[in-house]
Amino acid sequence: MTIVPPAVAQSRTALPLAARATGPYIYDDDGNDYLDGSSGVLNVNIGHSHPAVLRAVEQQLGQLTFVHRSQFRNQQALDLTSRLLSIVPGAAAVEYTNSGSEANECALRLAFAYQHRRGAARRTVILSEQPSYHGMTAAALSITGSPGKRDPSVEPLLGPRAERVLVRPKPGRRRATHEEWATALLAAGPSKVAAVVVEPLGGASSGASPIDAETMQWLRRETRNHGIVLIADEVMSGFGRTGKWWACDHSNIAPDILTSGKGLTGGYTSLAVTVVAESIATAIGEPLGPIALGHTMSANPLACAAANAVLDVLEGEELLGNAATAGRHLADALTTLCDRFPGLVSDQSGIGLMRALHIDPGRPADTNKRILAAARANGLVLCAAGIDGTTQSVLVAPPLNSTPDVIDDLAARLGRTLTAIAESPA
Ligand SMILES: Cc1ncc(COP(=O)(O)O)c(C=O)c1O
């Protein structure tokens, strides 16, 4: 028998029991509705129970659910690969995993393999940022700039061989500038650096805070000049969430390796991708498979069928355009809420439909968690972001097919939530 500590048991039973979901709404077993204001954890990008995906998955279930990639090719994976190669600038190869963490783990392995193959095995430094979130597997966690995610007990598993340097913005800023990156790069020694990993639009750690385009372009230029692999982590920001396929597109740069997941399957199945530029793939040589991170279920036909159906919906319903339009509507609504609740929410940020409300730094460090609980009581699902009291925020990111009515409903529920927090003592 498993003994569940009372605190854990209480927090689990405090959550509603989800019964069904359709479009942007989830219903619990008592029939209460919740507007999915964060698209799950920014993955349910086309809403719940989309008929086109249900049809595609059902058909694939009856036709072919699994073959291993070492034994057969499958048409769904082949189709998905060619679609990904056409939407990621400069891409030449795709590796499949089951989660965003694994996609980043795979990207780091490929970056190190690339350096090794070209005789630069001495490059063992990885630069990333704090705040950042790159996942829970060992290498991905080791470059994550979010101290709360690193329990001391797992430190020995994070590997002593590669050196990680966390580039930190000045207090009061959420993202590092190119001057701060330049200082870190110089201190590490550019010829020792294997890879730079960035979230072009920060998610769970910095709350929909973009790197400015100038810094992103500086990173692209300098990494290329110094033979460093630039990895863009678009696990959260990819697949149209920002109104373009990739957050990198807003800075007009193409990374050497792009990772993504979440919106790829819209939450219908598990699948993530590591998309590799020609120069890296060629230097490593085919096949990448033995170096990349392959799992039993990687690129299985069912998951790929769901991803192909989600891409059909994104393209057929022109949801990148809608993400941009609805994103402006949402940004206006969030700005209005900042004006209505000064001293509680200080500003809003984001691109397209990946946005966040930032908590006033004068507020207690758990204010974003209190907002989440109050939102739930007001029929709204949100995600918390931030790594400490000064970076705390709530992510507001409804599905990309949200209509103006849905955005208005979200703003109304959020308004009631903030009223409840403003009126109750901390
Ligand atoms: C930017 C980023 N990278 C990596 C991950 C890890 O993805 P997963 O939870 O699918 O392992 C996440 C998850 O939130 C993320 O936001």
Side-chain angles (χ1 to χ4, degrees):
M1 190 177 96
T2 309
I3 311 278
V4 181
V8 175
Q10 200 188 359
S11 69
R12 281 192 193 152
T13 52
L15 294 175
L17 184 62
R20 65 190 180 86
T22 174
Y25 294 95
I26 302 168
Y27 302 87
D28 69 16
D29 61 338
D30 287 328
N32 300 309
D33 61 273
Y34 302 82
L35 173 50
D36 195 351
S38 54
S39 306
V41 283
L42 287 95
N43 59 327
V44 184
N45 280 7
I46 60 166
H48 300 267
S49 305
H50 194 295
V53 183
L54 301 190
R55 264 196 312 274
V57 168
E58 198 177 13
Q59 199 204 319
Q60 192 63 40
L61 270 171
Q63 189 182 332
L64 176 73
T65 50
F66 183 81
V67 281
H68 196 262
R69 63 196 181 287
S70 65
Q71 296 161 339
F72 289 94
R73 296 178 300 144
N74 79 76
Q75 196 58 48
Q76 293 289 355
L78 292 172
D79 291 348
L80 183 57
T81 301
S82 49
R83 293 176 88 158
L84 291 170
L85 294 181
S86 74
I87 59 172
V88 180
V94 181
E95 288 295 325
Y96 291 94
T97 48
N98 304 311
S99 69
S101 306
E102 294 164 349
N104 285 329
E105 200 87 8
C106 175
L108 290 169
R109 290 170 69 112
L110 292 174
F112 272 56
Y114 165 76
Q115 301 294 8
H116 196 271
R117 296 291 187 276
R118 69 188 194 96
R122 68 186 182 288
R123 289 179 181 258
T124 52
V125 179
I126 308 163
L127 296 188
S128 58
E129 220 176 335
Q130 177 159 315
S132 67
Y133 181 62
H134 298 295
M136 293 302 271
T137 54
L141 180 58
S142 78
I143 56 158
T144 286
S146 184
K149 303 273 183 214
R150 293 177 71 131
D151 190 273
S153 64
V154 302
E155 286 297 333
L157 296 172
L158 302 185
R161 297 288 295 279
E163 187 187 337
R164 290 87 176 183
V165 176
L166 293 171
V167 183
R168 292 164 209 251
K170 288 196 180 60
R173 291 182 56 97
R174 293 188 287 265
R175 300 304 303 259
T177 60
H178 63 86
E179 288 91 353
E180 287 152 350
W181 279 100
T183 307
L185 185 61
L186 213 59
S191 64
K192 297 213 184 85
V193 178
V196 163
V197 188
V198 283
E199 291 168 79
L201 176 58
S205 61
S206 59
S209 297
I211 295 193
D212 64 76
E214 192 190 359
T215 299
M216 205 63 210
Q217 284 157 7
W218 183 93
L219 281 170
R220 177 60 289 182
R221 203 171 48 246
E222 292 303 308
T223 48
R224 187 170 283 139
N225 289 346
H226 292 292
I228 298 165
V229 179
L230 180 62
I231 301 172
D233 178 348
E234 298 234 25
V235 170
M236 196 180 261
S237 58
F239 291 106
R241 172 101 349 238
T242 65
K244 295 183 187 274
W245 280 117
W246 315 108
C248 279
D249 293 342
H250 295 273
S251 307
N252 287 320
I253 68 113
D256 298 311
I257 301 181
L258 181 145
T259 60
S260 199
K262 290 188 184 271
L264 167 61
T265 58
Y268 290 88
T269 54
S270 299
L271 189 67
V273 286
T274 304
V275 187
V276 187
E278 171 97 58
S279 53
I280 307 287
T282 309
I284 295 175
E286 291 288 335
L288 303 181
I291 302 151
L293 210 60
H295 302 272
T296 300
M297 296 299 280
S298 296
N300 72 78
L302 187 61
C304 293
N308 280 318
V310 169
L311 289 177
D312 286 343
V313 171
L314 286 173
E315 287 168 353
E317 298 183 13
E318 299 182 3
L319 296 188
L320 275 60
N322 194 61
T325 312
R328 283 191 287 276
H329 185 165
L330 180 61
D332 290 344
L334 295 180
T335 302
T336 304
L337 289 171
C338 291
D339 294 342
R340 263 180 71 195
F341 298 97
L344 175 55
V345 282
S346 53
D347 65 323
Q348 66 94 23
S349 66
I351 310 177
L353 277 178
M354 182 164 163
R355 314 206 74 88
L357 264 184
H358 297 273
I359 312 301
D360 189 280
R363 286 276 165 164
D366 65 344
T367 304
N368 59 353
K369 307 268 167 47
R370 289 185 62 224
I371 291 176
L372 253 54
R376 207 156 44 234
N378 281 283
L380 177 62
V381 182
L382 299 171
C383 275
I387 62 168
D388 53 28
T390 61
T391 54
Q392 58 171 332
S393 61
V394 289
L395 287 166
V396 189
L400 309 190
N401 47 5
S402 294
T403 59
D405 284 351
V406 167
I407 303 293
D408 290 341
D409 188 12
L410 192 165
R413 292 177 193 226
L414 188 50
R416 289 195 287 278
T417 300
L418 296 179
T419 303
I421 295 289
E423 288 174 355
S424 68

